[in-house]
Amino acid sequence: MNVIEINNLTKTYGKSRGITDISFHVEQGEIFGFIGPNGAGKSTTIRTLLSLIYPTSGSAKIFGKDCIQYAPEIKKEIGYLPSEVFYYENMKVKDLLKYSASFYKKDCSKRIKELAEIMDLDLNKKIEDLSLGNKKKVGIVQGLLHEPKLIILDEPTSGLDPLMQQKFFELLEEENRKGATILFSSHILSEVQRLCNRVAIIKEGKIVTVEKISTLQENNYKRFKVELRSALDLQYFNISGVSKLEAKGNVVSFLFKGNINAVLRKIAEIEVGNLWIEEPDLEEIFMHYYEKEA
């Protein structure tokens, strides 16, 4: 079953770009990555999905129900962390979280304590005395305190130090094991690579591709580094499927997509000092998709 279904979603703001014809779905129980640079349309898509803004055209469903028509009902089961959090400055953290929990008509006090402990958050402090990172922690606890079935995170790690990021990822993995579906929006590829099963890449308001992370990494590309014994014209490796061809000293490197034997045959014909074949990280693959589109 699909927890999120987005069909041809478009949001225009006069002349400035919103999103155009966005379509993808998120299956129950998966951690789905939504990735693109800042300003690509990730937040607009999420806000439209949450009916915080309304689409110009197209539609979206959560739990099989139309996002606009059933918005109040759907929101009971969603935890949302916006990219920037703003709160009543003079409230104490525990009062704010208690107030937030009161919307869900269930006792969340035990869960609030648990989450505050995991995220190392002082519940007795006033919001105005918190650093940016600690405000973000309040947002994380607020998004998870009612044990939602769907967790929507928009650039969730900005402001968190590396140790906290690690704890946060572990927390998300635990929520996912308990059955929560997660939509994780980010411009940081390593996060998405670590957490997600599938990913939608968005560029300038349009979806470039929706792929399994494993497919992006395995089927598509290998990174080759060849240490040459003697000088060779770089064009020797300029064969079908090769991109990002460059040389540093006597080491030639390139990305390759296709049947690996074609490259190995070329390499077998020359004197080689060393050879590395690696999985490229998503960063490289991602840039390739962007250049291809451009």
Side-chain angles (χ1 to χ4, degrees), residues 157-212:
T157 59
S158 62
L160 294 181
D161 64 55
L163 194 67
M164 264 307 129
Q165 286 183 20
Q166 181 66 26
K167 280 188 173 180
F168 174 56
F169 290 146
E170 284 165 10
L171 178 59
L172 288 181
E173 282 162 344
E174 179 56 33
E175 289 305 299
N176 182 243
R177 270 194 294 276
K178 291 192 317 206
T181 303
I182 299 172
L183 174 63
F184 188 104
S185 159
S186 178
H187 66 278
I188 300 165
L189 287 150
S190 56
E191 298 183 344
V192 170
Q193 206 162 350
R194 173 186 164 166
L195 281 175
C196 303
N197 321 86
R198 288 190 308 133
V199 61
I201 297 177
I202 186 171
K203 178 194 180 191
E204 290 173 5
K206 292 177 183 167
I207 296 288
V208 178
T209 186
V210 179
E211 284 278 20
K212 281 184 176 167

Side-chain angles (χ1 to χ4, degrees), residues 259-286:
N259 185 337
I260 203 168
N261 292 297
V263 178
L264 293 177
R265 276 194 288 271
K266 291 289 276 183
I267 291 169
E269 288 171 15
I270 54 173
E271 284 291 307
V272 170
N274 210 337
L275 171 66
W276 301 264
I277 306 174
E278 302 161 346
E279 296 294 333
D281 64 7
L282 270 183
E283 190 86 44
E284 293 177 286
I285 295 166
F286 188 59

Side-chain angles (χ1 to χ4, degrees), residues 28-215:
Q28 186 164 3
E30 82 172 325
I31 305 182
F32 187 91
F34 190 34
I35 190 151
N38 293 328
K42 300 187 299 293
S43 295
T44 302
T45 306
I46 286 172
R47 287 177 191 140
T48 312
L49 190 59
L50 292 165
S51 71
L52 298 171
I53 54 178
Y54 291 156
T56 310
S57 62
S59 66
K61 287 179 178 174
I62 294 181
F63 310 125
K65 294 172 179 168
D66 182 83
C67 282
I68 296 169
Q69 205 178 336
Y70 296 97
E73 188 183 320
I74 290 168
K75 284 184 180 133
K76 288 177 191 164
E77 301 293 353
I78 295 178
Y80 168 51
L81 177 65
S83 51
E84 291 177 33
V85 287
F86 301 99
Y87 294 121
Y88 302 116
E89 291 285 308
N90 59 357
M91 263 180 125
K92 278 190 174 174
V93 174
K94 61 180 176 190
D95 296 329
L96 180 97
L97 293 172
K98 214 153 102 188
Y99 172 58
S100 194
S102 70
F103 290 95
Y104 297 104
K105 304 199 175 13
K106 57 176 165 181
D107 183 11
C108 306
S109 48
K110 182 168 167 263
R111 184 68 181 145
I112 290 171
K113 277 203 184 81
E114 276 172 17
L115 290 167
E117 225 162 88
I118 293 168
M119 295 309 294
D120 193 19
L121 176 66
D122 185 346
L123 293 172
N124 291 307
K125 276 199 167 168
K126 271 191 169 183
I127 299 285
E128 64 189 350
D129 297 331
L130 297 181
S131 65
L132 178 70
N134 279 321
K135 280 182 184 165
K136 199 75 185 216
K137 290 179 193 177
V138 175
I140 290 166
V141 175
Q142 187 185 24
L144 299 178
L145 55 79
H146 56 299
E147 298 180 75
K149 288 183 192 162
L150 171 63
I151 301 166
I152 295 178
L153 307 160
D154 193 358
E155 300 283 353
T157 59
S158 62
L160 294 181
D161 64 55
L163 194 67
M164 264 307 129
Q165 286 183 20
Q166 181 66 26
K167 280 188 173 180
F168 174 56
F169 290 146
E170 284 165 10
L171 178 59
L172 288 181
E173 282 162 344
E174 179 56 33
E175 289 305 299
N176 182 243
R177 270 194 294 276
K178 291 192 317 206
T181 303
I182 299 172
L183 174 63
F184 188 104
S185 159
S186 178
H187 66 278
I188 300 165
L189 287 150
S190 56
E191 298 183 344
V192 170
Q193 206 162 350
R194 173 186 164 166
L195 281 175
C196 303
N197 321 86
R198 288 190 308 133
V199 61
I201 297 177
I202 186 171
K203 178 194 180 191
E204 290 173 5
K206 292 177 183 167
I207 296 288
V208 178
T209 186
V210 179
E211 284 278 20
K212 281 184 176 167
I213 291 275
S214 56
T215 307

